[in-house]
Amino acid sequence: MTRRVLLAKPRGYCAGVDRAVQTVELALERYGAPIYVRKQIVHNVHVVKTLEERGAVFVDETEEVPEGAIVVFSAHGVAPVVHDEAKSLSLRTIDATCPLVTKVHKEAKRFASSDYDILLIGHEGHEEVVGTSGEAPEHVQLVDGPGDVANITVRDPEKVVWLSQTTLSVDETTATVDALRARFPKLLDPPSDDICYATQNRQVAVKEIAAESQLVIVVGSRNSSNSVRLVEVAKDHGADASYLIDYAEQIEPSWLDGVTTVGVTSGASVPEELVAGVLARLAEHGFDEVEEVESVRERMVFALPHELRRDLRAV
Protein backbone atom coordinates (compact mmCIF):
# COMPACT_ATOMS: atom_id res chain seq x y z
CA MET A 1 0.00 0.00 0.00
CA THR A 2 1.44 3.36 -1.06
CA ARG A 3 1.46 5.86 1.77
CA ARG A 4 2.12 9.46 0.88
CA VAL A 5 2.25 12.94 2.37
CA LEU A 6 0.86 16.04 0.67
CA LEU A 7 2.85 18.98 2.05
CA ALA A 8 1.12 22.33 1.72
CA LYS A 9 2.96 25.37 0.41
CA PRO A 10 2.85 28.09 1.58
CA ARG A 11 3.01 27.08 5.23
CA GLY A 12 4.78 28.26 8.36
CA TYR A 13 6.30 31.68 8.99
CA CYS A 14 4.62 34.64 7.37
CA ALA A 15 6.45 37.94 6.85
CA GLY A 16 4.99 39.48 10.03
CA VAL A 17 6.03 36.55 12.22
CA ASP A 18 9.50 36.38 10.68
CA ARG A 19 9.92 40.10 11.38
CA ALA A 20 8.73 39.78 14.98
CA VAL A 21 10.92 36.78 15.84
CA GLN A 22 13.95 38.41 14.20
CA THR A 23 13.24 41.54 16.21
CA VAL A 24 13.63 39.71 19.53
CA GLU A 25 16.66 37.72 18.32
CA LEU A 26 18.46 40.82 17.06
CA ALA A 27 17.52 42.83 20.15
CA LEU A 28 19.13 40.14 22.31
CA GLU A 29 22.27 40.29 20.16
CA ARG A 30 22.39 44.10 20.09
CA TYR A 31 21.46 44.97 23.68
CA GLY A 32 22.02 41.72 25.57
CA ALA A 33 19.68 39.83 27.89
CA PRO A 34 17.22 40.35 29.34
CA ILE A 35 14.91 41.71 26.66
CA TYR A 36 11.33 41.97 27.86
CA VAL A 37 8.45 41.05 25.56
CA ARG A 38 4.87 42.04 26.32
CA LYS A 39 2.68 38.96 25.72
CA GLN A 40 3.91 36.15 23.48
CA ILE A 41 5.84 37.63 20.55
CA VAL A 42 3.93 35.17 18.33
CA HIS A 43 1.50 32.43 19.30
CA ASN A 44 3.79 29.41 19.25
CA VAL A 45 4.96 27.38 22.24
CA HIS A 46 8.27 26.35 20.68
CA VAL A 47 9.24 29.85 19.52
CA VAL A 48 8.51 31.36 22.94
CA LYS A 49 10.45 28.63 24.76
CA THR A 50 13.44 29.01 22.43
CA LEU A 51 13.56 32.79 22.91
CA GLU A 52 13.23 32.39 26.69
CA GLU A 53 16.29 30.13 26.64
CA ARG A 54 18.20 32.93 24.90
CA GLY A 55 17.23 35.56 27.47
CA ALA A 56 13.83 36.93 26.48
CA VAL A 57 11.45 37.53 29.38
CA PHE A 58 7.76 37.37 28.51
CA VAL A 59 5.33 39.37 30.64
CA ASP A 60 1.57 39.82 30.56
CA GLU A 61 1.44 43.48 31.52
CA THR A 62 3.65 46.50 30.90
CA GLU A 63 3.93 47.21 34.64
CA GLU A 64 5.90 43.96 35.05
CA VAL A 65 8.81 45.44 33.07
CA PRO A 66 11.47 47.16 35.22
CA GLU A 67 11.66 50.92 34.78
CA GLY A 68 14.00 51.97 31.99
CA ALA A 69 14.25 48.48 30.45
CA ILE A 70 13.75 47.48 26.83
CA VAL A 71 10.35 46.01 25.92
CA VAL A 72 9.21 44.56 22.61
CA PHE A 73 5.53 44.73 21.68
CA SER A 74 4.27 41.53 20.08
CA ALA A 75 3.22 41.00 16.46
CA HIS A 76 -0.46 41.20 17.50
CA GLY A 77 -0.34 44.91 18.31
CA VAL A 78 -1.24 46.93 21.40
CA ALA A 79 -3.74 49.62 22.30
CA PRO A 80 -2.57 53.27 22.64
CA VAL A 81 -2.88 52.99 26.43
CA VAL A 82 -0.03 50.44 26.41
CA HIS A 83 2.27 52.95 24.73
CA ASP A 84 1.28 55.46 27.42
CA GLU A 85 2.08 52.93 30.16
CA ALA A 86 5.50 52.27 28.65
CA LYS A 87 6.23 55.98 28.46
CA SER A 88 5.29 56.48 32.12
CA LEU A 89 7.82 53.79 33.08
CA SER A 90 10.54 55.29 30.84
CA LEU A 91 10.72 52.04 28.89
CA ARG A 92 12.61 51.76 25.62
CA THR A 93 10.04 50.28 23.26
CA ILE A 94 10.46 48.28 20.07
CA ASP A 95 7.15 47.83 18.28
CA ALA A 96 7.05 44.51 16.43
CA THR A 97 3.36 44.83 15.49
CA CYS A 98 2.74 43.22 12.11
CA PRO A 99 2.29 45.98 9.51
CA LEU A 100 -0.97 44.34 8.40
CA VAL A 101 -2.32 44.65 11.94
CA THR A 102 -1.14 48.27 12.03
CA LYS A 103 -3.19 48.82 8.87
CA VAL A 104 -6.36 47.71 10.70
CA HIS A 105 -5.49 50.02 13.62
CA LYS A 106 -5.23 52.95 11.24
CA GLU A 107 -8.55 52.05 9.64
CA ALA A 108 -10.21 51.99 13.07
CA LYS A 109 -8.82 55.43 13.93
CA ARG A 110 -9.84 56.88 10.58
CA PHE A 111 -13.43 55.61 10.70
CA ALA A 112 -13.78 56.63 14.34
CA SER A 113 -12.66 60.16 13.44
CA SER A 114 -15.54 60.21 10.92
CA ASP A 115 -17.91 59.03 13.68
CA TYR A 116 -18.68 55.60 12.20
CA ASP A 117 -19.83 52.64 14.26
CA ILE A 118 -17.11 50.02 13.71
CA LEU A 119 -18.12 46.35 13.76
CA LEU A 120 -14.92 44.43 14.44
CA ILE A 121 -15.17 40.77 13.44
CA GLY A 122 -12.93 38.70 15.68
CA HIS A 123 -12.57 36.54 18.77
CA GLU A 124 -13.22 37.83 22.27
CA GLY A 125 -10.00 38.34 24.23
CA HIS A 126 -7.58 37.81 21.33
CA GLU A 127 -4.67 40.24 21.70
CA GLU A 128 -5.16 41.62 18.22
CA VAL A 129 -8.81 42.40 18.92
CA VAL A 130 -7.91 44.05 22.25
CA GLY A 131 -5.32 46.24 20.52
CA THR A 132 -7.56 47.29 17.63
CA SER A 133 -10.53 47.98 19.92
CA GLY A 134 -8.29 50.15 22.05
CA GLU A 135 -7.77 52.57 19.17
CA ALA A 136 -11.42 53.71 19.39
CA PRO A 137 -13.19 51.89 22.25
CA GLU A 138 -16.26 54.13 22.12
CA HIS A 139 -16.82 53.30 18.43
CA VAL A 140 -15.92 49.58 18.23
CA GLN A 141 -18.25 46.62 18.81
CA LEU A 142 -16.96 43.05 18.62
CA VAL A 143 -18.78 40.58 16.35
CA ASP A 144 -17.68 37.04 17.19
CA GLY A 145 -19.14 35.13 14.24
CA PRO A 146 -22.51 35.11 12.45
CA GLY A 147 -24.35 34.14 15.63
CA ASP A 148 -23.36 37.44 17.24
CA VAL A 149 -24.95 39.63 14.57
CA ALA A 150 -28.43 39.72 16.15
CA ASN A 151 -26.95 41.36 19.27
CA ILE A 152 -25.51 44.37 17.43
CA THR A 153 -27.03 47.83 17.78
CA VAL A 154 -25.76 50.92 15.98
CA ARG A 155 -26.48 54.62 16.30
CA ASP A 156 -26.94 55.27 12.59
CA PRO A 157 -27.41 52.42 10.06
CA GLU A 158 -26.11 54.78 7.38
CA LYS A 159 -22.67 55.03 9.08
CA VAL A 160 -21.49 51.51 9.80
CA VAL A 161 -18.26 49.83 8.70
CA TRP A 162 -16.84 46.36 9.34
CA LEU A 163 -13.20 45.52 10.04
CA SER A 164 -11.71 42.18 11.04
CA GLN A 165 -9.00 40.40 12.94
CA THR A 166 -6.33 39.43 10.42
CA THR A 167 -6.19 35.70 11.24
CA LEU A 168 -9.79 34.58 10.76
CA SER A 169 -11.34 31.94 8.52
CA VAL A 170 -12.08 33.61 5.20
CA ASP A 171 -15.28 31.59 4.76
CA GLU A 172 -16.64 32.32 8.24
CA THR A 173 -15.80 36.01 7.93
CA THR A 174 -17.68 36.14 4.64
CA ALA A 175 -20.69 34.54 6.33
CA THR A 176 -20.49 37.09 9.17
CA VAL A 177 -20.29 40.02 6.74
CA ASP A 178 -23.29 38.66 4.79
CA ALA A 179 -25.29 38.46 8.02
CA LEU A 180 -24.25 41.99 8.99
CA ARG A 181 -25.19 43.35 5.57
CA ALA A 182 -28.61 41.73 5.80
CA ARG A 183 -29.20 43.79 8.94
CA PHE A 184 -27.36 46.92 7.78
CA PRO A 185 -27.63 47.27 3.97
CA LYS A 186 -25.44 50.40 3.97
CA LEU A 187 -22.58 48.55 5.69
CA LEU A 188 -19.24 49.85 4.43
CA ASP A 189 -16.37 47.52 3.55
CA PRO A 190 -12.79 48.23 4.68
CA PRO A 191 -10.65 49.93 2.01
CA SER A 192 -8.71 46.69 1.52
CA ASP A 193 -8.95 43.14 2.81
CA ASP A 194 -8.21 42.92 6.55
CA ILE A 195 -7.59 39.16 6.64
CA CYS A 196 -3.88 38.95 5.97
CA TYR A 197 -2.42 37.49 2.78
CA ALA A 198 -0.66 34.70 4.70
CA THR A 199 -3.81 33.56 6.51
CA GLN A 200 -5.69 33.46 3.20
CA ASN A 201 -2.89 31.70 1.35
CA ARG A 202 -2.52 28.99 4.00
CA GLN A 203 -6.25 28.37 3.93
CA VAL A 204 -6.22 28.08 0.13
CA ALA A 205 -3.33 25.61 0.36
CA VAL A 206 -4.96 23.45 3.04
CA LYS A 207 -8.20 23.29 1.02
CA GLU A 208 -6.22 21.85 -1.89
CA ILE A 209 -4.49 19.12 0.10
CA ALA A 210 -7.57 18.33 2.25
CA ALA A 211 -9.53 17.37 -0.87
CA GLU A 212 -7.11 14.45 -1.39
CA SER A 213 -6.26 13.57 2.22
CA GLN A 214 -8.00 11.35 4.75
CA LEU A 215 -6.05 13.04 7.53
CA VAL A 216 -4.59 16.56 7.78
CA ILE A 217 -2.04 17.37 10.46
CA VAL A 218 -1.65 21.06 11.27
CA VAL A 219 1.48 22.05 13.17
CA GLY A 220 0.70 24.96 15.47
CA SER A 221 -0.24 25.99 19.00
CA ARG A 222 -3.76 26.06 20.42
CA ASN A 223 -3.66 29.82 21.07
CA SER A 224 -2.78 30.47 17.42
CA SER A 225 -5.97 31.63 15.76
CA ASN A 226 -4.75 31.01 12.21
CA SER A 227 -3.59 27.48 13.11
CA VAL A 228 -6.94 26.57 14.67
CA ARG A 229 -8.67 27.89 11.56
CA LEU A 230 -6.56 25.58 9.36
CA VAL A 231 -7.89 22.54 11.23
CA GLU A 232 -11.45 23.75 10.69
CA VAL A 233 -10.86 24.48 7.00
CA ALA A 234 -9.31 21.05 6.45
CA LYS A 235 -12.36 19.31 7.94
CA ASP A 236 -14.72 21.48 5.91
CA HIS A 237 -12.98 20.70 2.61
CA GLY A 238 -12.62 16.97 2.43
CA ALA A 239 -10.41 15.60 5.22
CA ASP A 240 -12.00 12.88 7.36
CA ALA A 241 -9.97 14.11 10.34
CA SER A 242 -7.62 16.93 11.20
CA TYR A 243 -5.49 17.49 14.30
CA LEU A 244 -3.48 20.38 15.70
CA ILE A 245 -0.13 19.50 17.25
CA ASP A 246 2.90 21.40 18.54
CA TYR A 247 5.40 18.56 18.14
CA ALA A 248 5.76 15.35 16.11
CA GLU A 249 5.67 13.28 19.30
CA GLN A 250 1.99 14.19 19.70
CA ILE A 251 0.99 12.20 16.60
CA GLU A 252 -1.10 9.20 17.71
CA PRO A 253 -0.36 6.04 15.68
CA SER A 254 -4.10 5.27 15.70
CA TRP A 255 -4.70 8.38 13.58
CA LEU A 256 -2.85 6.63 10.74
CA ASP A 257 -4.86 3.39 10.73
CA GLY A 258 -6.25 2.79 7.26
CA VAL A 259 -4.87 6.11 5.99
CA THR A 260 -3.01 6.28 2.68
CA THR A 261 -2.68 10.07 2.27
CA VAL A 262 -1.80 12.54 5.03
CA GLY A 263 -1.86 16.28 4.43
CA VAL A 264 0.59 18.38 6.41
CA THR A 265 0.66 22.12 6.91
CA SER A 266 1.63 24.61 9.61
CA GLY A 267 0.35 27.87 11.02
CA ALA A 268 1.92 31.22 10.26
CA SER A 269 3.97 31.27 13.49
CA VAL A 270 5.55 27.81 13.13
CA PRO A 271 9.27 27.31 12.31
CA GLU A 272 10.04 24.84 9.55
CA GLU A 273 12.06 22.58 11.86
CA LEU A 274 8.82 21.47 13.53
CA VAL A 275 7.35 20.47 10.17
CA ALA A 276 10.53 18.51 9.40
CA GLY A 277 10.02 16.62 12.65
CA VAL A 278 6.48 15.69 11.64
CA LEU A 279 7.65 14.43 8.25
CA ALA A 280 10.32 12.31 9.96
CA ARG A 281 7.75 10.82 12.33
CA LEU A 282 5.38 10.02 9.46
CA ALA A 283 8.23 8.39 7.53
CA GLU A 284 8.73 6.03 10.48
CA HIS A 285 5.16 4.87 9.88
CA GLY A 286 5.71 4.29 6.16
CA PHE A 287 4.71 7.71 4.83
CA ASP A 288 8.01 8.29 3.08
CA GLU A 289 6.68 9.67 -0.21
CA VAL A 290 6.34 13.46 0.16
CA GLU A 291 4.79 15.67 -2.50
CA GLU A 292 4.85 19.43 -1.98
CA VAL A 293 1.70 21.12 -3.28
CA GLU A 294 2.23 24.83 -3.98
CA SER A 295 -1.00 26.79 -4.28
CA VAL A 296 0.30 30.36 -4.07
CA ARG A 297 3.77 31.84 -4.31
CA GLU A 298 4.67 34.25 -1.50
CA ARG A 299 7.28 36.99 -1.77
CA MET A 300 6.22 39.38 1.01
CA VAL A 301 8.97 40.75 3.28
CA PHE A 302 8.66 43.42 5.98
CA ALA A 303 11.42 45.72 7.21
CA LEU A 304 12.47 45.49 10.85
CA PRO A 305 10.99 48.01 13.33
CA HIS A 306 12.56 51.43 12.84
CA GLU A 307 13.76 51.63 16.47
CA LEU A 308 15.86 48.50 15.97
CA ARG A 309 17.08 49.41 12.47
CA ARG A 310 18.40 52.73 13.80
CA ASP A 311 20.44 51.08 16.55
CA LEU A 312 21.72 48.30 14.30
CA ARG A 313 23.01 50.91 11.83
CA ALA A 314 24.84 52.65 14.68
CA VAL A 315 26.95 49.57 15.44
Side-chain angles (χ1 to χ4, degrees):
M1 181 174 62
T2 300
R3 292 183 142 189
R4 63 173 182 157
V5 176
L6 298 181
L7 181 60
K9 185 178 181 180
R11 62 184 178 275
Y13 273 13
C14 63
V17 165
D18 191 40
R19 173 183 186 263
V21 174
Q22 279 194 62
T23 294
V24 179
E25 292 173 339
L26 291 170
L28 286 165
E29 292 177 15
R30 175 66 179 84
Y31 311 114
I35 294 294
Y36 292 85
V37 184
R38 188 183 182 279
K39 306 293 186 182
Q40 292 187 357
I41 186 66
V42 296
H43 287 159
N44 184 265
V45 170
H46 180 77
V47 170
V48 169
K49 180 181 177 183
T50 301
L51 292 173
E52 282 179 330
E53 291 170 352
R54 295 183 57 178
V57 178
F58 293 88
V59 299
D60 286 328
E61 302 299 338
T62 316
E63 63 191 24
E64 298 174 54
V65 182
E67 189 167 350
I70 297 173
V71 62
V72 178
F73 294 143
S74 81
H76 310 103
V78 298
V81 67
V82 175
H83 289 279
D84 294 339
E85 292 168 355
K87 189 174 181 180
S88 70
L89 292 169
S90 302
L91 302 181
R92 295 175 59 191
T93 61
I94 301 174
D95 191 352
T97 301
C98 174
L100 300 180
V101 174
T102 299
K103 177 183 80 71
V104 182
H105 281 224
K106 290 178 178 178
E107 289 170 354
K109 287 191 288 187
R110 182 162 69 83
F111 284 111
S113 69
S114 298
D115 204 29
Y116 273 77
D117 280 336
I118 300 166
L119 307 182
L120 177 61
I121 302 172
H123 298 305
E124 180 80 45
H126 191 281
E127 289 152 41
E128 187 183 323
V129 165
V130 173
T132 302
S133 299
E135 293 288 358
E138 67 283 2
H139 287 269
V140 174
Q141 292 183 68
L142 180 64
V143 186
D144 198 343
D148 227 10
V149 171
N151 304 320
I152 299 299
T153 58
V154 300
R155 295 168 301 157
D156 180 358
E158 302 282 322
K159 294 194 72 172
V160 187
V161 63
W162 70 271
L163 304 177
S164 83
Q165 182 181 326
T166 64
T167 54
L168 299 181
S169 159
V170 175
D171 296 336
E172 184 178 352
T173 302
T174 300
T176 304
V177 172
D178 289 345
L180 284 171
R181 203 176 303 281
R183 280 204 63 197
F184 309 110
K186 298 292 187 180
L187 181 70
L188 194 65
D189 295 323
S192 60
D193 205 337
D194 282 348
I195 297 179
C196 87
Y197 78 95
T199 295
Q200 296 189 53
N201 290 350
R202 279 148 190 72
Q203 289 177 20
V204 168
V206 85
K207 286 177 183 179
E208 187 167 343
I209 64 169
E212 297 185 51
S213 304
Q214 293 119 315
L215 166 69
V216 172
I217 294 174
V218 178
V219 188
S221 295
R222 295 193 179 279
N223 65 336
S224 166
S225 178
N226 76 86
S227 298
V228 172
R229 301 290 85 73
L230 289 174
V231 172
E232 296 170 351
V233 170
K235 290 178 180 177
D236 289 342
H237 288 82
D240 296 329
S242 182
Y243 298 100
L244 181 66
I245 61 170
D246 274 297
Y247 296 104
E249 293 74 19
Q250 295 170 330
I251 296 174
E252 296 285 348
S254 60
W255 298 350
L256 306 174
D257 290 345
V259 171
T260 58
T261 302
V262 177
V264 174
T265 190
S266 57
S269 51
V270 177
E272 186 64 13
E273 65 191 271
L274 299 184
V275 176
V278 168
L279 296 179
R281 175 56 65 97
L282 289 172
E284 292 172 4
H285 290 274
F287 291 86
D288 49 8
E289 179 185 318
V290 179
E291 177 187 345
E292 191 170 57
V293 179
E294 184 171 18
S295 302
V296 185
R297 187 160 294 182
E298 289 185 349
R299 296 186 177 88
M300 185 77 73
V301 177
F302 294 137
L304 291 167
H306 67 88
E307 308 96 327
L308 185 58
R309 293 203 310 271
R310 177 192 61 214
D311 286 355
L312 290 173
R313 283 197 299 266
V315 175

